[in-house]
Amino acid sequence: MPHNKPVVVLVGNPNSGKTTLFNALTGSQEKTGNYAGVTVEKVSAKMNLASIQVDCLDVPGIYSLDPISLDEMVAIEIINGISEENIKPDLIVYVLDSNNLERHLYLYSQLAESGIPIIVALTMTDIIPGGKNSIDLKILSEKLSTDVIPVIYHTKEGIDHLRSSIEKSLKNKPIPAISLGEKPENVSMVTHRYRWAAKVKQDVVVNKEPSKRKFTSDSIDKLLTNKFWGLLVFVALMLIVFESIYTFAGPIMELIEAFFSTVRQYSREYLTDIPILKSMIVNGILPGVGTTVMFLPQISILFFFITVLESTGYLARAAFLMDKLLGWCGLNGRSFIPLMSSYACAVPGIMSTRVIPDAKARLATLLVAPLMSCSARLPIYILIIGTFIEPHLGPIWAGVTLFAMHILGLFVAIPVIFVINKGIIKSPQMPFIMELPNYQWPKWKDVFNLVYRRSKQFVKEAGSTIVVLSIIIWALTSFPTTGEESNYTMDNQKELYSQLEGSYLGKFGKFIEPVFTPLGFDWRISTAIVASFPAREVVITSLSIMFQSEATSEDSTDLRSILKNAKNNKGEPIVDGWSAAGLMIFFALCCQCTATLVTIKNETGTWKWPIFVFTYMTLLAYAGAYLVQIIKFVVK
């Protein structure tokens, strides 16, 4: 970033509200969450003040100026002006949580001795006992030797005042001059600083009566962190989430499907004179893109529930609960946040492992994060469940199956972590200490904004990939042509099947079919699997194009009915319930995402680990699908 503008850095403890304040000051839309570790690298944006424009930075949360993890190192290097970009702060805005004054003032006491100008933004003032008047702002400002500006994010109260204070402080350079008092010889500096912080809190808090909110929070925590009841609540919440995903998205999916069916019909009529373009659009792009977009409602609903759980503070409790589950295999609850984040997308989940202090524990978490069922796996789950499970067992069992597929990766990850820790990395078990944030009602504007941005990102990234690969797959299934008539004018199903079988992709599928035959997959499914290795979203596109010849009529675009009714040359179903289950398990455990592998390389600095992840996950996926066929043989 250019350094000809003043640099303002937002600093504070994890979960103090830095990123929310950053968004309010700059108009940005960075992700926020009611748990520690949301920001894992610096984020910058322009901030317009009354007379000047400044560069505003949001850095990862820290507890002190002594780093214990990679994300904390990023923040401290910027504060000390020794980062690779040579960023030197002209002003620090210290984000101070009014509910945790004593703990957060420890870091302030260190920053006040750095010689850098500082002002304080006092957050969470709307949820402390007695409101913001329970803290004497004048006394607090005197004790901290700088301006203290209370802010309330959702009402924007104090934001303009803070901007004015930032502009004034860039000119006046307010360097705090606090006094910690004389340190006794037998007291450590850490203890001395906390004693000072406790004295400041005692002097500035006016309303010192116990908070009913605190008692209520403690009562809820006893339930949510209990070994038995907490796990029961967690499972129940996840079941509700996945039942909702399956139930609520159905009507919207039908509308999307009807829309693309209409578009295909019009394309057939209006592109009759350009048969090759008609074929590419009708048999290539529209089936691929349309079938993928049809699953966007489920993905958006998943993002919604994850965001709500983040913003309420529940995820921090879940991390504490999972510490007991992960402890025996060498990890602790701090690894749960990256794993949970990977349910939306493995890329940010892998990046958020930077909050883990121990390098070996971080690597172990990073290596299993791709096992979590990300949103890109959801379409194949919905397709298979909607085809083979819901029609026979109903929507309740369909939701339970969807939940089981998402939880499968977590349960497989635990023994995998155990093997990696004990046999490869040998990381020691680390104690788990985590601040439990206050419970909050979700800020619905932020929730829906984040859902919109995540959904838009999915469409943008997956859409561009799918369009390109749809054209490539269409071309590979359309050439070389067979017979005298060009394949893109064929309407007869037998002719289409003959063309597909004799195409480049068909020949490739026949070549690799023996590898996947033990899993119950024919050459078309095998080809779709291989085609989706760069990005697993492409499997729906591949299946839509590969099974074009199985459509029961020219207007049939329902991939579910096509898969269910597809027969091989012997008149046997190409996909039955067993091979469908194997296909879901294969996609649940296989690492079919180039972006994930590249991110692992970037985080570890070597290609050794992404190759390791790709290899062990592919073997796991194959073994899982093969196990289904063994069970089928035993049962029958």
Side-chain angles (χ1 to χ4, degrees), residues 322 326 331-332 334-346 349-350 352-353 364-373 410 413-414 417:
M322 290 299 119
L326 297 174
L331 297 184
N332 60 36
R334 191 180 286 266
S335 297
F336 176 72
I337 296 298
L339 296 180
M340 190 67 187
S341 299
S342 297
Y343 274 98
C345 178
I350 290 168
S352 65
T353 59
T365 306
L366 180 151
L367 294 179
V368 297
L371 280 170
M372 305 303 108
S373 281
L410 180 61
I414 293 174
I417 291 172

Side-chain angles (χ1 to χ4, degrees), residues 594-632:
T594 304
T596 296
L597 297 174
V598 170
T599 303
I600 294 174
K601 186 267 177 185
N602 292 339
E603 292 296 310
T604 60
T606 175
W607 279 107
K608 176 178 73 173
W609 294 117
I611 292 172
F612 171 77
V613 168
F614 180 82
T615 302
Y616 94 75
M617 288 185 65
T618 301
L619 293 175
L620 268 180
Y622 194 95
Y626 187 64
L627 179 62
V628 172
Q629 293 300 310
I630 293 176
I631 295 173
K632 173 185 176 181

Side-chain angles (χ1 to χ4, degrees), residues 272-332:
T272 304
D273 296 335
I274 317 175
I276 190 170
L277 180 61
K278 168 189 169 183
S279 178
M280 183 177 71
I281 293 176
V282 173
N283 299 328
I285 296 175
L286 287 178
V289 176
T291 310
T292 302
V293 173
M294 190 174 73
F295 294 102
L296 181 61
Q298 283 101 340
I299 293 170
S300 299
I301 292 172
L302 175 64
F303 288 155
F304 170 79
F305 279 109
I306 290 178
T307 305
V308 169
L309 291 175
E310 288 175 351
S311 59
T312 58
Y314 175 74
L315 274 193
R317 276 76 185 176
F320 183 82
L321 181 67
M322 290 299 119
D323 178 62
K324 301 164 186 175
L325 180 64
L326 297 174
W328 71 273
C329 61
L331 297 184
N332 60 36

